[in-house]
Amino acid sequence: MNPKKLDIPYNGVNPEKIKTANPKIDLELLKRYAYYQKERTLIFYKKEILKEDAPWSQNPMFQNFKFTMTKRWLDRESRNLIDNILNRPDITYDNKLLNCIVFRLINKFKAFDELPEKYIDFDKFSDEYINSLKQILIDKNLSGFFTSAYFISGTLRSLRLLEFKSDKNIPKGESNVYESFAVICRYVYNNRETFLKIKEMQTPNEMIKSLGGIYGLGQFLSYQIYSDWSYIEEFPFSDKEACDIGPGTERGLKHLFVDFDGLNLQEAVFWIKDNIQKICEENELEWDLESWFSFLEPQQRYWGCGDICNSFCEFDKTTRIWTEELQKENGKRVRKFKTERKLEEW
């Protein structure tokens, strides 16, 4: 949420390459990108801060489709994690790290409400405990593996690689999903010492790579868990200077950039961080973080790498809607409100 003192500027990239690059941007899509960030933030402000009644936007796209908040940590489930676990002084640092992993696998905080302590304790973590947690997910149908927010490619690969026995108590077609959750939890449980060595690592990239070594997580989810960790007060780094490109972010960047001028995708994120204000001003587009995020503390009104990765994943969704790709396979992951209102041109 806040930048950290140990953040490493331009972590993992060459700052001189970022400063000298001259990529070409699709200006019409830049207009849409800037518009989305303002409008989605304004929706949050009207809904959560002012407590106004819907509709919070006159744009039918926002009335018909669901999108995550422009700052990830303001989303409902992330706020639940922060308020109910990460900000609790009675929960140890190690347990906060563990709970972020388990939470992001489920992505629904109400699963934790079923636990006596309302969180998972490493000292109680065991095969029996993991099986009990898996049963809670089955009974409450709380699996979040295939939500549009976290479509977990690493978990899907683990499902293909492992063969599980069917359980008659598991809903048809979902046995592999729940058992895969248990496999990942058991891996962390059986490798606790190795897992906790992540606290000794000196850079965000080392930490993200180490997370990726946990069987079944995959690249995308590893960065999401790292971002959750960055909300822990004791954690040394934020996500302002750290990024890892997921498939949605990659598609979003490729929509906006006509020519990357030799930048790789990670470098393109840093280029956006350094240049978004300037290129919007040059093209007479509004980009005013101080105004848009006036309800946040001044140190939180930045546009860091984590914000950018999140924003381009959502920008990919809006672009697929605008170009009527919602009927295609990828478009099925865009969540739609229950409404029959027709999407209009804007």
Side-chain angles (χ1 to χ4, degrees):
M1 293 183 290
N2 293 328
K4 301 287 186 74
K5 291 182 178 180
L6 295 181
D7 280 341
I8 303 172
Y10 296 98
N11 175 64
V13 301
N14 183 344
E16 290 305 315
K17 185 177 180 181
I18 308 299
K19 293 174 183 177
T20 58
N22 187 29
K24 185 177 179 181
I25 301 295
D26 185 318
L27 296 181
E28 182 60 29
L29 290 185
L30 176 64
K31 174 184 176 182
R32 291 177 176 178
Y33 177 81
Y35 167 80
Y36 171 85
Q37 313 313 323
K38 177 184 178 180
E39 189 71 3
R40 183 61 183 87
T41 303
L42 186 58
I43 289 170
F44 177 89
Y45 179 70
K46 290 178 179 179
K47 180 183 178 183
E48 303 293 341
I49 306 299
L50 299 181
K51 306 297 183 182
E52 294 182 2
D53 294 329
W56 303 288
S57 174
Q58 296 305 309
N59 188 318
M61 182 183 71
F62 289 104
Q63 293 181 6
N64 291 353
F65 295 90
K66 294 183 180 180
F67 302 96
T68 61
M69 177 53 189
T70 46
K71 282 192 175 289
R72 175 185 180 277
W73 59 272
L74 292 175
D75 280 335
R76 179 182 59 192
E77 293 294 352
S78 294
R79 294 202 311 271
N80 281 334
L81 173 69
I82 294 166
D83 293 341
N84 296 299
I85 290 183
L86 304 188
N87 285 346
R88 280 178 56 177
D90 60 314
I91 299 179
T92 67
Y93 184 24
D94 290 357
N95 280 333
K96 290 176 181 179
L97 296 176
L98 171 66
N99 277 261
C100 286
I101 290 181
V102 178
F103 166 74
R104 202 50 75 180
L105 289 173
I106 305 167
N107 203 36
K108 291 180 176 64
F109 193 82
K110 58 185 178 180
F112 287 76
D113 289 335
E114 303 294 327
L115 303 174
E117 302 89 352
K118 307 301 181 185
Y119 76 98
I120 295 171
D121 189 332
F122 238 143
D123 291 336
K124 297 180 180 179
F125 216 41
S126 64
D127 285 338
E128 182 180 0
Y129 190 95
I130 291 167
N131 287 334
S132 297
L133 183 56
K134 183 181 73 171
Q135 193 62 47
I136 290 174
L137 301 182
I138 295 170
D139 293 342
K140 300 294 183 178
N141 193 25
L142 292 176
S143 171
F145 281 90
F146 303 111
T147 67
S148 58
Y150 294 95
F151 194 86
I152 305 169
S153 59
T155 300
L156 290 175
R157 283 193 294 272
S158 74
L159 301 184
R160 298 188 188 105
L161 290 172
L162 293 178
E163 294 182 0
F164 301 118
K165 295 181 179 179
S166 298
D167 185 328
K168 63 181 180 180
N169 296 319
I170 300 175
K172 184 178 180 181
E174 294 186 345
S175 59
N176 283 352
V177 175
Y178 293 101
E179 185 58 29
S180 183
F181 163 83
V183 167
I184 295 172
C185 289
R186 290 189 199 109
Y187 183 95
V188 176
Y189 164 64
N190 291 324
N191 295 274
R192 175 174 177 171
E193 291 186 7
T194 301
F195 164 70
L196 290 177
K197 285 183 179 179
I198 200 166
K199 295 186 297 184
E200 304 170 10
M201 295 180 180
Q202 302 299 306
T203 70
N205 288 350
E206 288 180 300
M207 291 182 170
I208 296 168
K209 183 177 180 181
S210 179
L211 269 170
I214 297 176
Y215 184 78
L217 286 191
Q219 176 183 357
F220 171 73
L221 192 57
S222 296
Y223 180 63
Q224 298 305 316
I225 293 169
Y226 168 86
S227 294
D228 288 334
W229 284 357
S230 73
Y231 310 150
I232 302 171
E233 184 177 358
E234 305 98 307
F235 195 73
F237 307 112
S238 74
D239 61 358
K240 182 180 180 181
E241 299 284 345
C243 71
D244 197 89
I245 308 299
T249 301
E250 177 177 355
R251 289 192 300 267
L253 289 168
K254 288 180 177 178
H255 289 315
L256 184 66
F257 282 79
V258 177
D259 182 352
F260 284 87
D261 192 32
L263 296 174
N264 62 34
L265 294 172
Q266 189 178 44
E267 292 164 346
V269 168
F270 281 90
W271 189 91
I272 287 289
K273 183 172 75 72
D274 286 356
N275 292 280
I276 185 66
Q277 181 77 45
K278 181 182 71 172
I279 59 176
C280 283
E281 289 177 355
E282 291 174 350
N283 291 282
E284 299 182 343
L285 300 176
E286 182 180 2
W287 188 268
D288 189 351
L289 299 181
E290 289 296 314
S291 173
W292 299 350
F293 294 111
S294 60
F295 54 90
L296 298 179
E297 296 296 325
Q299 68 270 22
Q300 297 173 339
R301 301 171 193 169
Y302 61 86
W303 201 239
C305 289
D307 302 311
I308 295 167
C309 289
N310 178 67
S311 74
F312 274 100
C313 188
E314 296 303 289
F315 181 62
D316 169 56
K317 297 176 187 177
T318 66
T319 303
R320 287 188 276 127
I321 293 170
W322 286 320
T323 56
E324 299 182 346
E325 288 188 16
L326 194 61
Q327 304 305 317
K328 297 182 180 180
E329 183 67 24
N330 285 338
K332 292 181 180 178
R333 299 179 195 169
V334 182
R335 293 166 293 171
K336 189 172 184 178
F337 287 116
K338 294 180 180 179
T339 177
E340 297 301 322
R341 184 173 180 182
K342 184 177 179 180
L343 184 65
E344 304 165 353
E345 293 292 336
W346 67 279

